[in-house]
Amino acid sequence: MQAGELITTDQQGRSGSEADIQQAYSVLEDVMDPEVPVVSVMDLGIVRDVSWADGHLYVVVTPTYSGCPATEYIETSIRDALQDAGFSHPKVSQRLDPAWTTDWITEQGRSRLKAYGIAPPVGSSNKRSLLSGITQVECPNCGSEDTEQLSEFGSTACKSLYRCKSCLEPFDYFKCI
Amino acid sequence: MTKYDELTEFLLRLGDSALIQAQRLCEWTGRAPALEEEMGMMNVGLDLVGQARNWYEYAAERINDGTDADTLAFRRDERAFRNLLLVEQPNGDFAVTMTKQFFYDAWQFHLLTMLKGANDERIAAIAAKSLKEVTYHLRRSSQWVERLGDGTEESHQRMEKAVDIVWRFTFELVEKNDAELALSESGHIPALTELPEQWLATVNEVFAKATLTLPDAPNTFYLSARTGMHSEHLGTLLAEMQFLQRAYPDASW
């Protein structure tokens, strides 16, 4: 089917099929996070629902951090990517509850982060205790566990800054929330 | 003298406190003692701006007269702001900034923990989301209070001085309030009666590790965020923060 046909039919309020939803998901696999361009919105687990209603595709996303400046950019990227793929006027909305957790980052997302030089979140967000949140973070460069935290906050809200005491390289750690 | 209903006023108290605290943190841009700390403060500020927006959006929906989050942040005057007196105080040195941050974080942490269980689903959702971020904020500011309080002779002295400067504004964190009591009785929010004790317990615990002395309970005085009677510092802060939107209404880029 050509993109143009879909746009016309969507505007007439056609009903979507399972194939449309699957196609939408595969489009979303290629919408990358602007701050960490190796992970997609699917890898991050921020896409909470894709559905078809009233002749339109509806996508529900949940923001990572309340003040994440990338949230609106991501919503626009999702809308643009779906439109380019032939979906007419896809609706993207936000959902706050349940709050996003790093537990939703997929295995593929974790290995992509690591390959990019960012240590993926360690453990589950449920087990983290408030004032003793010291975790052993593995260096994404050399694999050593002999690392130290330089700063609770790194280059973006979702990361903190670490240094490897074996290879001496500094690196970002994707915080567990 | 309040303009809106009790729930909206409560939302503004949360939103305004987060926004003003964030604006104070932004003042450290380019001037923090270390690059890592500057990033830390900016990240905390960013979280708080996001939280403020969430509270504002809910408040704006309730006000329902075309007001949006930006209007609430940039088009209200000093007397309409409901932020805690604590957060509008000048940054002073790093010790004063961290003391303010710690008192505020501990208050947010316990308050949001309670609000997470609110019957009002919107409040519960924003609180649950914010709490995750605030847990990190509190951890960091507690560590700084400990490190500076139990550090060198000079850092200890500076922390004691900072506590002296800031402490009198904490009466708002421990006062019982009729409006909030009414909100819990009407079932919107859980009872916040234990908030003062919990806040004080956290402060006590961290102060003990920091070898700092807990001052006597602060006295209530005539200023009050609830009625918009602010200290002299909020006006100048707003003049800077709101300049662009006031000078060029609805500017966008």
Side-chain angles (χ1 to χ4, degrees), chain A residues 46-103:
Chain A
I46 61 175
V47 175
R48 302 316 295 160
D49 193 31
V50 177
S51 59
W52 194 283
D54 316 323
H56 291 286
L57 189 72
Y58 283 76
V59 179
V60 179
V61 295
T62 191
T64 52
Y65 280 75
S66 301
C68 180
T71 306
E72 272 138 26
Y73 183 89
I74 289 174
E75 287 177 13
T76 311
S77 311
I78 288 177
R79 207 173 292 123
D80 290 350
L82 290 169
Q83 247 160 9
D84 289 348
F87 293 98
S88 169
H89 305 296
K91 315 272 187 197
V92 183
S93 61
Q94 252 190 49
R95 183 189 289 167
L96 279 184
D97 181 39
W100 181 78
T101 159
T102 40
D103 296 349

Side-chain angles (χ1 to χ4, degrees), chain A residues 62-69 71-72 94 96-97 99-102 125 128-134 149-159 161 173 175-177, chain B residues 36-37 39-41 43-44 46-51 53-54 57 109 121-122 124-126 128-130 132-140 142-143 146 202 205-206 209:
Chain A
T62 191
T64 52
Y65 280 75
S66 301
C68 180
T71 306
E72 272 138 26
Q94 252 190 49
L96 279 184
D97 181 39
W100 181 78
T101 159
T102 40
S125 62
R128 190 177 46 78
S129 60
L130 166 62
L131 289 164
S132 61
I134 298 146
Q149 188 186 64
L150 292 181
S151 171
E152 190 83 60
F153 293 90
S155 55
T156 62
C158 55
K159 289 175 273 180
L161 198 59
Y173 165 60
K175 292 186 297 200
C176 201
I177 70 164
Chain B
E36 287 79 4
E37 287 319 307
M39 291 201 302
M41 285 190 278
N43 274 319
V44 172
L46 197 60
D47 285 344
L48 293 176
V49 169
Q51 293 173 16
R53 183 160 84 165
N54 286 333
E57 280 172 354
F109 179 78
E121 286 176 10
R122 186 84 170 262
I126 301 173
K129 176 98 196 134
S130 307
K132 289 182 168 219
E133 296 155 2
V134 167
T135 304
Y136 270 98
H137 302 172
L138 176 61
R139 199 166 87 196
R140 173 172 168 276
S142 307
Q143 283 169 355
E146 281 177 46
T202 299
E205 187 190 331
V206 173
K209 288 190 215 159

Side-chain angles (χ1 to χ4, degrees), chain B residues 58-220:
Chain B
Y58 187 22
E61 281 173 34
R62 293 181 57 82
I63 295 167
N64 194 24
D65 63 356
T67 298
D68 62 12
D70 280 345
T71 326
L72 289 173
F74 299 118
R75 306 267 183 94
R76 276 181 307 149
D77 291 329
E78 189 187 338
R79 288 291 296 270
F81 270 76
R82 296 289 175 256
N83 60 278
L84 299 170
L85 297 169
L86 172 75
V87 300
E88 73 199 32
Q89 300 311 308
N91 282 334
D93 61 9
F94 193 69
V96 173
T97 299
M98 277 304 137
T99 305
K100 282 196 300 171
Q101 184 75 45
F102 168 62
F103 288 161
Y104 174 64
D105 289 344
W107 179 76
Q108 279 245 90
F109 179 78
H110 292 299
L111 176 59
L112 295 170
T113 304
M114 292 172 182
L115 293 180
K116 201 171 65 156
N119 285 334
D120 184 311
E121 286 176 10
R122 186 84 170 262
I123 290 182
I126 301 173
K129 176 98 196 134
S130 307
L131 182 61
K132 289 182 168 219
E133 296 155 2
V134 167
T135 304
Y136 270 98
H137 302 172
L138 176 61
R139 199 166 87 196
R140 173 172 168 276
S141 57
S142 307
Q143 283 169 355
W144 268 116
V145 169
E146 281 177 46
R147 193 164 154 188
L148 293 173
D150 191 22
T152 64
E153 201 173 313
E154 186 183 350
S155 75
H156 181 80
Q157 273 177 13
R158 284 207 189 195
M159 279 305 292
E160 283 197 325
K161 199 174 158 204
V163 174
D164 273 351
I165 294 170
V166 170
W167 183 255
R168 62 201 163 113
F169 298 104
T170 61
F171 74 91
E172 284 190 302
L173 311 185
V174 293
E175 69 183 0
K176 308 251 193 253
N177 174 259
D178 290 341
E180 280 158 20
L181 197 64
L183 281 176
S184 72
E185 279 169 2
S186 63
H188 288 287
I189 61 170
L192 304 179
T193 37
E194 284 175 21
L195 182 58
E197 288 75 17
Q198 293 188 0
W199 179 80
L200 207 58
T202 299
V203 173
N204 227 333
E205 187 190 331
V206 173
F207 269 34
K209 288 190 215 159
T211 68
L212 292 167
T213 315
L214 194 72
D216 293 335
N219 294 316
T220 301

